[in-house]
Amino acid sequence: HIDLRENLAAQGRIPPVDPSNSLTRIGVGSHKLRPASSTEAMRTVTRALRLELAAAADPVHCEAAEATRAAAHAAVLTQRDPAPLSVGEEVALLFAASEGLLDDAAASADATQLDELVRGICDAVAAADADLLPKITRSGYLSDEQAEALRSILTKYVAQHA
């Protein structure tokens, strides 16, 4: 069950998913449907995602840091191109948001600047290490070494483009 809200669409969130009222059923009932959405790498980078988005959706109790992290997650979850991303690309984007690497940009940049920053993440990772994202896609795992490589590449990328 995915709950879409008109007010979120009016605010520019695409897709306008209300995480506090949505349940994911991706791959339920079939092992053939599950691999991309429930790989170990995806579980690693989305462990707290739903709670963070739900907390940020509460305007009364939401702290500034929670709102900033939610804005970073919303930026990486917004699909601009109808072409699907690989698991490695999705992991890189979600890793950048969940590790807080986009927090400063989400807090200080406007939506267009944040969008441009996010659009360049996968290209920056591919340019720095051409094998990293395909390895994550093939294996479905994000090893400690791969996570450290992603962190290093993304920290440099964000610092150069901030």
Side-chain angles (χ1 to χ4, degrees), residues 95 101 120-130 132-133 145-161:
F95 182 87
L101 301 175
I121 286 176
C122 294
D123 292 337
V125 173
D129 185 345
L132 183 57
L133 298 180
E145 289 115 17
Q146 290 169 330
E148 192 52 46
L150 267 179
R151 187 175 292 106
S152 175
I153 293 166
L154 293 172
T155 300
K156 289 176 188 173
Y157 170 74
V158 170
Q160 290 173 347
H161 294 87

Side-chain angles (χ1 to χ4, degrees), residues 5-162:
R5 298 290 175 148
E6 287 183 27
N7 64 332
L8 294 175
Q11 294 172 6
R13 185 184 293 177
I14 300 172
V17 176
D18 180 359
S20 61
N21 292 322
S22 299
L23 298 173
T24 182
R25 295 182 182 179
I26 298 173
V28 171
S30 173
H31 293 292
K32 291 182 180 181
L33 295 176
R34 281 206 260 168
S37 65
S38 62
T39 63
E40 184 63 34
M42 289 297 281
R43 281 193 298 275
T44 299
V45 297
T46 60
R47 193 156 282 140
L49 175 64
R50 183 171 176 187
L51 291 175
E52 288 176 355
L53 292 176
D58 180 0
V60 175
H61 299 100
C62 179
E63 296 178 11
E66 291 173 324
T68 299
R69 182 68 51 89
H73 275 111
V76 300
L77 290 171
T78 301
Q79 186 172 350
R80 289 141 196 94
D81 187 356
L85 298 173
S86 70
V87 170
E89 291 170 328
E90 291 177 19
V91 167
L93 292 170
L94 289 164
F95 182 87
S98 65
E99 291 290 311
L101 301 175
L102 300 175
D103 286 0
D104 288 341
S108 62
D110 65 30
T112 303
Q113 292 169 322
L114 183 57
D115 182 56
E116 289 174 13
L117 181 70
V118 168
R119 284 178 180 256
I121 286 176
C122 294
D123 292 337
V125 173
D129 185 345
D131 294 330
L132 183 57
L133 298 180
K135 281 181 185 176
I136 295 169
T137 299
R138 281 192 306 274
S139 70
Y141 290 97
L142 180 64
S143 69
D144 291 341
E145 289 115 17
Q146 290 169 330
E148 192 52 46
L150 267 179
R151 187 175 292 106
S152 175
I153 293 166
L154 293 172
T155 300
K156 289 176 188 173
Y157 170 74
V158 170
Q160 290 173 347
H161 294 87

